[in-house]
Amino acid sequence: MKLLFVASECAPFIKTGGLADVIGAVPKALAEQGVSIKVLIPAYPALAGLVAKGKSVMSFVDLFGGPARIVAVQAEGLDMLLLEAGHLFDRPGNIYLGPNGQDWPDNDLRFGALSYAGARIGTRGIEDWVPDVINAHDWQAGLVPAYLQLSEGPKPPVVMTIHNIAFQGLFESTRLAALGLQAELFTSEGVEYFGKIGFLKAGLALSEKITTVSPTYAAELLTPDFGMGLDGLLRNRQADLSGILNGIDLDIWSPETDANLVANYSARSIKGKAKNRAEVEARFGLTAGDGPLFCVISRLTFQKGLDMLLDRLPHLVSLGGRLAVLGSGEPALERAFIDASNRYAGSVGTKIGYDEALSHLIQAGSDAIVIPSRFEPCGLTQLYGLRYGTLPVVARTGGLADTVIDANEAAMLADCATGIQFAPINATMLGNAISRACTLFANQKAWAAMMRRAMRHPVGWDLSAAAYLDVYRAARDSRTS
Ligand code: ADP
Ligand code: GLC
């Protein structure tokens, strides 16, 4: 099986969220199953060093306004294909947003070009390598099957993976020509979506199979509340939709070996966690205390529900809890967490920004991680939390519902709890979950048992990689049958 991934980010090269973690990790797990896999992403400035080490394998005289080429390079155990197109990707700062905090005005061309390049590899191949299947990830790769439709000759089937349906890549229909899309594709069966061009919509309508990143989110997506306008289309394609849970890269996320920690530890010997906790307290200006140290590592957006945590902060502090926040995003939320750190100095500490190394240390040094998301396709930070013995306190939705076993009476009796879930998703129930965490934490023996259990909970990629392989085979067979 030869497989091409098309995506907008890939850890450790370029990352703004969980998508990058997944794109960097799945290929390694699939390679172990015998899959030959290449990953196509744009050559943003951060990848210049990598481009310099690579080899040109395809070129475009004019790719949506300028010359472009694809550079192949092996790095970090991955076979990377980097789309170099200076007019589209050679820009400083955030990969999606301009300096004014708004989407780059030509994001349609930027990611249309990525999709176009993916489709070109699908039909022509790279040297002797032609993919059997293309896995397109999120809206940025949504036009891959559209461009395949426009090309001649044999073409590989496409699996479209939804990491977050909140981002759909919607653009004015006046951009059709600039994107090289022919008018006959602008139909309700093609790229048209309520009068606009819908990148994700196109991917969902034109691909052979669809996956998303947890079974619960796959079910939620079929409802108007979660489907965000695409639920009808997904209900029609239900037979082709599957939810495959994300895993984590254990080479990067293991407290036994993680170089970002001040002390390594394991389920057998959790003593080292205390040293990490002291370091987190020092870095966030927190005073030592008897209550649990909660943490947040997150984009600060409506999705993540952290306004509800702000609402419940007085409660958390009154119970003796402390909180370390690492995040960036909406300015109002950033300001509110900074204000809270001033108001509750010593109990709440905030760092605004993106800091990969610090995120590892916080996972190691905290007792619990709070994830009150309004919706969460999968979520990775609760999986890191499990692995690091940092018990997740999560909203019961999407992948959070599928990965954390709530410490209710039955689970405690059966010795299988690994964290706390709350529902319905509102501030009152989050407050209740924080109370439950503090009560459980006071029973240090029960808490330590839960930590050990959480750390042993399987969170690697093996099972899910096998499930992806089944989907790729089904996509391939749907073409040959
Ligand atoms: P999403 O992709 O919706 O943001 P996930 O939980 O799937 O949510 O993935 C988020 C990823 O980004 C995790 O690897 C998390 O550790 C990381 N992350 C989020 N915010 C920060 C931050 N401020 N600094 C460092 N890492 C962060
Ligand atoms: C998205 C989702 C997140 C998921 C990640 C990787 O960013 O918001 O829940 O874990 O993609 O699939």
Side-chain angles (χ1 to χ4, degrees):
M1 165 78 70
K2 293 193 288 299
L3 180 68
L4 175 69
F5 265 30
V6 183
S8 56
E9 26 186 301
C10 176
F13 312 116
I14 182 84
K15 165 170 168 180
T16 73
L19 171 67
D21 289 339
V22 172
I23 302 302
V26 188
K28 294 188 209 164
L30 284 169
E32 278 169 25
Q33 312 238 4
V35 178
S36 159
I37 166 164
K38 297 186 192 290
V39 181
L40 174 70
I41 62 170
Y44 308 107
L47 284 88
L50 218 52
V51 170
K53 288 189 210 139
K55 170 181 172 204
S56 245
V57 290
M58 192 182 273
S59 58
F60 304 82
V61 179
D62 180 355
L63 184 63
F64 301 163
R69 62 179 184 136
I70 293 174
V71 172
V73 63
Q74 290 186 331
E76 306 283 346
L78 297 167
D79 251 337
M80 299 302 298
L81 298 172
L82 309 176
L83 176 62
E84 191 185 50
H87 58 297
L88 300 172
F89 301 118
D90 191 7
R91 303 171 190 185
N94 186 287
I95 59 176
Y96 305 119
L97 311 174
N100 58 1
Q102 305 291 315
D103 288 348
W104 291 108
D106 58 348
N107 269 354
D108 49 358
L109 296 183
R110 299 173 74 228
F111 298 108
L114 176 69
S115 300
Y116 184 88
R120 177 69 76 89
I121 296 169
T123 50
R124 302 220 181 145
I126 291 285
E127 298 173 332
D128 289 339
W129 189 95
V130 183
D132 297 310
V133 177
I134 300 182
N135 191 173
H137 294 269
D138 268 356
W139 75 264
Q140 293 89 352
L143 290 187
V144 169
Y147 289 123
L148 281 172
Q149 281 217 345
L150 294 176
S151 52
E152 303 286 323
K155 40 198 99 158
V158 175
V159 175
M160 183 76 227
T161 298
I162 307 168
H163 293 265
N164 194 337
I165 209 155
F167 303 104
Q168 301 188 355
L170 289 180
F171 301 96
E172 296 304 327
S173 58
T174 49
R175 306 287 286 167
L176 268 184
L179 284 163
L181 293 172
Q182 279 158 19
E184 60 258 32
L185 271 179
F186 195 66
T187 64
S188 57
E189 289 80 42
V191 306
E192 189 267 342
Y193 184 61
F194 292 112
K196 298 196 169 197
I197 304 169
F199 276 44
L200 182 60
K201 149 75 204 308
L204 298 178
L206 301 172
S207 57
E208 270 67 18
K209 297 282 172 196
I210 301 169
T211 70
T212 188
V213 290
S214 70
T216 293
Y217 194 58
E220 289 172 339
L221 282 176
L222 304 178
T223 69
D225 280 353
F226 289 89
M228 300 193 174
L230 290 167
D231 46 295
L233 192 168
L234 287 169
R235 282 195 298 278
N236 286 336
R237 298 222 50 198
Q238 206 170 338
D240 293 318
L241 168 69
S242 44
I244 304 176
L245 210 51
N246 283 337
I248 66 175
D249 188 336
L250 297 172
D251 292 340
I252 298 175
W253 294 94
S254 281
E256 294 85 351
T257 50
D258 192 330
N260 300 297
L261 313 194
V262 293
N264 290 110
Y265 61 95
S266 65
R268 229 179 287 145
S269 165
I270 49 179
K271 271 210 317 282
K273 200 163 163 68
K275 288 197 181 129
N276 293 297
R277 182 206 253 238
E279 181 69 16
V280 172
E281 286 168 349
R283 298 242 202 135
F284 282 81
L286 302 172
T287 45
D290 294 333
L293 172 53
F294 294 93
C295 72
V296 166
I297 302 162
S298 185
R299 292 186 287 119
L300 303 179
T301 64
F302 179 79
Q303 173 189 346
K304 302 295 178 177
L306 293 163
D307 48 306
M308 294 184 269
L309 180 59
L310 281 164
D311 184 273
R312 295 289 79 204
L313 269 189
H315 177 65
L316 184 151
V317 171
S318 75
L319 295 174
R322 288 150 317 126
L323 175 69
V325 178
L326 170 63
S328 63
E330 289 166 15
L333 284 170
E334 293 185 351
R335 263 196 312 276
F337 275 108
I338 291 169
D339 288 350
S341 308
N342 294 330
R343 191 168 332 125
Y344 301 109
S347 295
V348 177
T350 298
K351 288 197 192 293
I352 298 299
Y354 191 93
D355 187 334
E356 188 70 30
L358 182 59
S359 75
H360 287 242
L361 177 72
I362 298 171
Q363 287 280 10
S366 306
D367 299 304
I369 181 160
V370 189
I371 313 171
S373 305
R374 292 188 165 86
F375 64 95
E376 194 61 75
C378 182
L380 295 177
T381 57
Q382 83 280 12
L383 300 179
Y384 300 140
L386 290 170
R387 190 72 191 85
Y388 284 67
T390 300
L391 301 185
V393 177
V394 304
R396 185 178 302 140
T397 185
L400 300 173
D402 292 336
T403 51
V404 176
I405 302 172
D406 179 58
N408 59 33
E409 293 290 317
M412 292 306 275
L413 274 174
D415 283 335
C416 63
T418 58
I420 291 174
Q421 293 191 350
F422 67 91
I425 304 172
N426 58 41
T428 306
M429 294 313 286
L430 170 59
N432 184 262
I434 290 168
S435 305
R436 290 175 60 209
C438 291
T439 307
L440 265 172
F441 186 77
N443 180 347
Q444 280 290 307
K445 216 170 135 217
W447 187 271
M450 269 176 78
M451 280 172 66
R452 290 205 172 83
R453 206 177 296 129
M455 293 179 76
R456 293 191 173 113
H457 187 85
V459 287
W461 268 107
D462 348 355
L463 284 176
S464 297
Y468 270 107
L469 198 48
D470 286 344
V471 173
Y472 300 139
R473 289 198 180 112
R476 192 181 52 186
D477 296 348
S478 73
R479 272 299 175 78
T480 46
S481 61

